[in-house]
Each structure stands twice: as structure tokens, then as C-alpha cells.
Amino acid sequence: MEADSASNRVTTALSGGVAGAEALARLLAPVLAALAAGARDRGGPAPVGRPAALDEAWRTAIAAPAGGAAPAGGLAPADGVGAVAALTELVRLFAAGSVDPADPRCAAHLHCPPLAVAVAADLAASALNPSLDSWDQAPISTTLEPAVVADLADLAGYPPTADGVVTTGGSESNLLGLLLAREHAVRARTGTSAVREGVPLGRYRIFASAVTHFSVHRAAGLLGFGEDAVVPVRTGRDHRLDPEALDEALTRAEEAGELPIAVVATAGTTDLGAIDPLPAIADVAAKHRTWLHVDAAYGGGALFSSALAPLLAGLSRADSIGLDLHKLGWQPVAAGVFLTRAATNLAALARRAEYLNPADDEDAGYTSLLGRSLRTTRRPDALKIAVTLRALGRAGLGALVDRCAALATHAARTITAEPTLELYQPPVLTTVVFRFRGGSGSPSGSGSPDEVNARLRRTLLATGRAVVGRTEIDGRVWLKLTLLNPNTTEADVDGLVADVVAAGTAAADTEPGEDAT
């Protein structure tokens, strides 16, 4: 009976207060053991199997734990199994069924392996569970988040007038940038607020490169312009926006009576890591008196690197910037940051809710962060960023960026030296785009090169050997390595490339429509 009583106390214990740390400590050991056991079960970067078979196995395991009968009520039975048992079972299953970005052969997406120090800080944030919509829910966070924002604004070259907010990532930051751009354009045209009084009728346009992130189109739709309001501007083969083409597009729009809302430049495209020529684009935006937003969700991490930071020259001229430190910042999701060069630009987000930030409380110094975000309840993601900045410093983070960039350069050399592979172009940041083209002995009738590249990627995933990215450029299928693990070695990269060659050779020997196993 005493054992059951102790188990119940652990199960229902809270994470806060003086006793909360002790309660967490009793549960951390089972969690860490389950993570390690799950990693051993997985045995590689990804679970082995086809999606349908994996789904069936996971459903069975969720319904009935190993060695046990299915509890009535499924995941929520009438009587719980206790904290340790639930953590041991489900965390192990979760770890075994996840891809692991810390594995050198997991290199598909801008999906970083987070730093342990950042994860530890995130635990503290979750334990205390502040919400940043009022001072009395998150007192220190109203000081900590602006401090993080100020540090990153300084890193971007912004003046002391800058401000910003921690976001869920690039999509939210792009939406915020275009919302403020809309407010700026409507006020300049009519003297009214688009947020409060609506958007006057007109043909509004947003100008971005033809390879801009899809969240820009989504934001245009959400803001009432329609996704077709995004005007694609010509790029070169390197996916960098052409400033002359941008100038011409803006001029044509103005002559046609259309209303430019914003220019969106990209500092680090998802595929090639391409960085638009920011100084020239800033000149064009200034000439046409149009808001400039820079989507630096990927490339913004280059600011930490003294070697790569010059690629972002001109960033400080943007009216707003989006960064993602859950890419080249090694933070757990989510860790986006939105910056704007003038705090007054955030006035469009101002909001008064008497139960959160009454005027007399604010006048008395109990300020809130409610009026700088699109969200109300908001967790203190600034803590893990602050801890990481303090722990590693700019130079420490820069060394991680440089290491990943060096791995990409090495991968490009390895790919170039392999006759069966074709490199698209030398890497700019940490992504490497290439494809399997086969050798002279490749059989005919084994499918097009596009089909072979698609099949080989699925084969690597299904066998759990590697997680490699896929994209399409100019109508052709390409593969992609996104190297964000600074602990990866050159030998790891060579092994990953060798896995691609082996899978490509097998895929070329497979009948069209079938995946190699």
C-alpha cells in the first residue's frame, strides 16, 4: 500500500515550487533511460519499415504495451498505470519511432540536433510554465525576452531603436513582417490603420523571388491580398533574386496602378542556401519607397560566423527580419525571432485586455508583452536562447556554423569526385544539392533519372540507413544533404554519400514503379 501511495505521489506531483525539482528528478532518470532504449531499438537515423507497416505496429503498441493487455479506454484507461510506467513505455516508443537529427546520416531538412544545454533550459521553462501575455504570469520574461531581442538586433546591425519578438519560426515572422508592411503602406496612402479600419480597395502586390518560401504566399492570403498578389521576380540559376528585374517589376506595377506592399528578400533559401543581393535590393526598395522584409530564417545563423557574416551585408537596411535559431542556432523547436528596425512599427500589434494588461497596471510599471505578438498564451522560448547565447557566446555558435559549412564543402568535393553523382552547385551555407545520374553500366528501362532518385531516397528511409532530402529544380528531382550536425565527421559524410550511390545503383536495377529494399 505504501508503494502504491508513493507511486501516486510521483504521478500527480507538480513541477513547480520547492518540491517540484525533486519530483522532476525522480522522473528524469526513467525518461533518459527510455530515450536511450528507444535509440537502441531504432538502431539508426530512422525507424526501419514502410509507413503502413510502421503505423500498424505503432497503433498496436499504443493500444497494448509490450507484455500487457490492452487497457480499457486505450491511452486514457479508467485507472492510470503511473508516471514511471507511462514514461518508460511511451517515451521509448516515441524515441524508437522518431528520426534523430543527431545521427550523422539524418540530413534531409533544416531540422537541427538541439544543444543539450538548450534542452535543459527548455525543461526549466516547461516546469515553471510562464505565459508571456501578462506581467503577473511571467515577470522576468518581460525583461529576458527584450534582452534576447536586443542582442540579436545588434548582431543584425540594427540601431538601438529596434525591437522584436520571439516567434514560432519563419512562417510567423514572415506573416508579422507583411502585416507591418501592410500597415505601413496603408497609412502612407490613406493615413488610416489597416489593422483597425480595414484595407482599402486596391490591387496590392508583394514582390519576392520565384523561389521564396511558401509561407510568404500563405501570409499574403491570410492578410487578405490573395496568394496571387505575390509577384515572382526572376532569379538566376543560383536562385538569387535579380535586382534589375525587381526594379522593372515594381515600375510596371506602379504604372499599372497597383500598390506595392513589400519586397521580400531571402537570406538562405531552403534548397540552395542562396542569399539575395541585399544591398542592391535595399536600394531598389528605397527607390520605390517600399517596405523591405528579409526572410533570414536559415541564413541568419551566418551572423555568428565571422567568415560567413559578410554574405549578409545589407541586412541592417531591412525594415524587418525573420530569424530561426532552431536551424543554425541548435535550439529545440520553436525558436524564431522577428526583428524590426523601429519599435514604433510594432504599434499595429498593440492590444488592451483589462484582465491581462489594464492601463493603470502598465502605468505602474507592470508592463506586458501582449502587444507585440499575434499570440496570447506564449511560452518563454527566450530562456533557452538566452542560456545558449550566454553558454557559447557568439564565437562558440560561430564555430558550430563554420563546422557545418566545412562539412558541406567536403560533401560537395566527395560528390564531385564520384562519377555516378552530379553536383548542382557549390554550397553557400550548409545544404548540398546533387543527384544520382548512374554509370555507364546502368541498365536501360529502369526508370528515368528522376524516378531513380526518388526511389533511392525512399529506399534509404525505409531501410533506416539514411534520411536524405529531396527537392525539384527546373522540373528535375534532386537530392539534398542539409548538414546541421557539427559533430558529424568527414568520414560520416563520405559514408552517407556512399549509401546514396549504393541505393542509386540498386534503384537503377529495379523495375519502374518499385522501390529497392
Side-chain angles (χ1 to χ4, degrees):
M1 191 68 168
E2 179 59 32
D4 288 343
S5 176
S7 176
N8 287 337
R9 285 199 300 272
V10 171
T11 300
T12 60
L14 303 179
S15 63
V18 175
E22 183 181 347
L24 280 172
R26 289 197 296 267
L27 295 173
L28 283 179
V31 167
L32 297 178
L35 282 171
R40 288 193 295 271
D41 293 343
R42 187 180 62 244
V48 177
R50 303 288 178 191
L54 288 170
D55 179 66
E56 182 179 356
W58 292 330
R59 287 176 181 273
T60 300
I62 290 169
L75 280 174
D79 294 315
V81 300
V84 172
L87 285 167
T88 299
E89 173 205 341
L90 290 178
V91 172
R92 180 172 183 169
L93 181 65
F94 185 77
S98 295
V99 298
D100 184 2
D103 189 298
R105 291 169 294 164
C106 184
H109 299 284
L110 287 165
H111 173 201
C112 75
L115 290 162
V117 67
V119 173
D122 215 26
L123 170 64
S126 293
L128 290 166
N129 205 31
S131 178
L132 273 62
D133 46 317
S134 67
W135 190 94
D136 60 1
Q137 294 178 86
I140 192 172
S141 295
T142 62
T143 298
L144 183 62
E145 179 170 292
V148 167
V149 165
D151 253 28
L152 294 174
D154 178 70
L155 187 68
Y158 266 172
T161 56
D163 206 345
V165 65
V166 175
T167 69
T168 54
S171 293
E172 184 184 349
S173 294
N174 286 341
L175 177 61
L176 275 174
L178 292 179
L179 185 150
L180 300 191
R182 184 186 69 176
E183 186 74 1
H184 177 265
V186 170
R187 280 195 179 277
R189 179 188 176 203
T190 68
T192 62
S193 167
V195 169
R196 299 195 179 279
E197 301 176 50
V199 181
L201 292 176
R203 295 164 62 196
Y204 298 93
R205 295 290 181 264
I206 296 163
F207 299 83
S209 83
V211 294
T212 195
H213 194 266
F214 67 83
S215 62
V216 172
H217 297 81
R218 178 179 287 172
L222 291 172
L223 291 170
F225 302 130
E227 296 195 10
D228 289 346
V230 180
V231 178
V233 180
R234 183 178 69 241
T235 69
R237 187 180 187 274
D238 59 3
H239 284 187
R240 301 179 79 218
L241 186 148
D242 182 340
E244 290 186 7
L246 174 64
D247 190 17
E248 293 166 2
L250 279 159
T251 299
R252 284 195 303 271
E254 291 163 349
E255 290 174 347
E258 296 174 342
L259 305 170
I261 291 291
V263 170
V264 179
T266 305
T269 58
T270 303
D271 287 339
L272 300 180
I275 297 173
D276 288 337
L278 301 179
I281 291 171
D283 288 342
V284 174
K287 172 184 173 182
H288 292 272
R289 298 187 299 278
T290 302
W291 185 281
L292 174 59
H293 174 71
V294 177
D295 176 0
Y298 174 22
L303 290 169
F304 293 114
S305 163
S306 57
L308 296 179
L311 295 174
L312 299 179
L315 180 66
S316 62
R317 294 177 62 188
D319 295 287
S320 57
I321 303 168
L323 306 174
D324 265 12
L325 295 183
H326 52 246
K327 295 182 172 68
L328 283 176
W330 295 277
Q331 298 298 293
V333 173
V337 179
F338 173 78
L339 303 172
T340 183
R341 61 181 298 107
T344 53
N345 291 328
L346 295 176
L349 300 175
R351 181 64 51 188
R352 178 76 63 206
E354 293 305 328
Y355 70 99
L356 293 174
N357 61 345
D360 56 327
D361 272 6
E362 295 259 341
D363 292 342
Y366 294 90
T367 55
S368 78
L369 302 180
L370 178 65
R372 61 181 61 209
S373 175
L374 295 174
R375 293 176 285 153
T376 303
T377 301
R378 191 159 64 86
R379 72 190 306 273
D381 289 314
L383 176 61
K384 61 195 176 192
I385 300 173
V387 168
T388 301
L389 292 173
R390 178 65 60 87
L392 277 76
R394 297 183 182 186
L397 283 166
L400 299 183
V401 173
D402 290 341
R403 174 59 183 160
C404 291
L407 287 169
T409 299
H410 176 82
R413 285 197 297 265
T414 301
I415 289 165
T416 301
E418 170 53 56
T420 63
L421 300 178
E422 175 187 356
L423 181 71
Y424 184 85
Q425 69 171 35
V428 177
L429 295 170
T430 67
T431 55
V432 186
V433 175
F434 67 108
R435 61 192 264 125
F436 180 82
R437 61 184 174 191
S440 58
S442 295
S444 60
S446 59
S448 70
D450 287 344
E451 291 171 335
V452 169
N453 279 277
R455 288 205 304 271
L456 80 84
R457 175 182 164 274
R458 289 193 296 269
T459 295
L460 290 171
L461 190 58
T463 56
R465 284 187 303 187
V467 187
V468 175
R470 167 185 171 164
T471 190
E472 290 189 19
I473 301 176
D474 299 330
R476 294 198 297 168
V477 173
W478 293 81
L479 304 175
K480 180 171 63 172
L481 302 182
T482 306
L483 299 168
L484 295 181
N485 184 347
N487 293 334
T488 296
T489 67
E490 283 77 8
D492 291 328
V493 171
D494 293 344
L496 181 54
V497 172
D499 282 343
V500 170
V501 172
T505 301
D509 288 334
T510 304
E511 288 299 317
E514 297 180 4
D515 288 352
T517 56

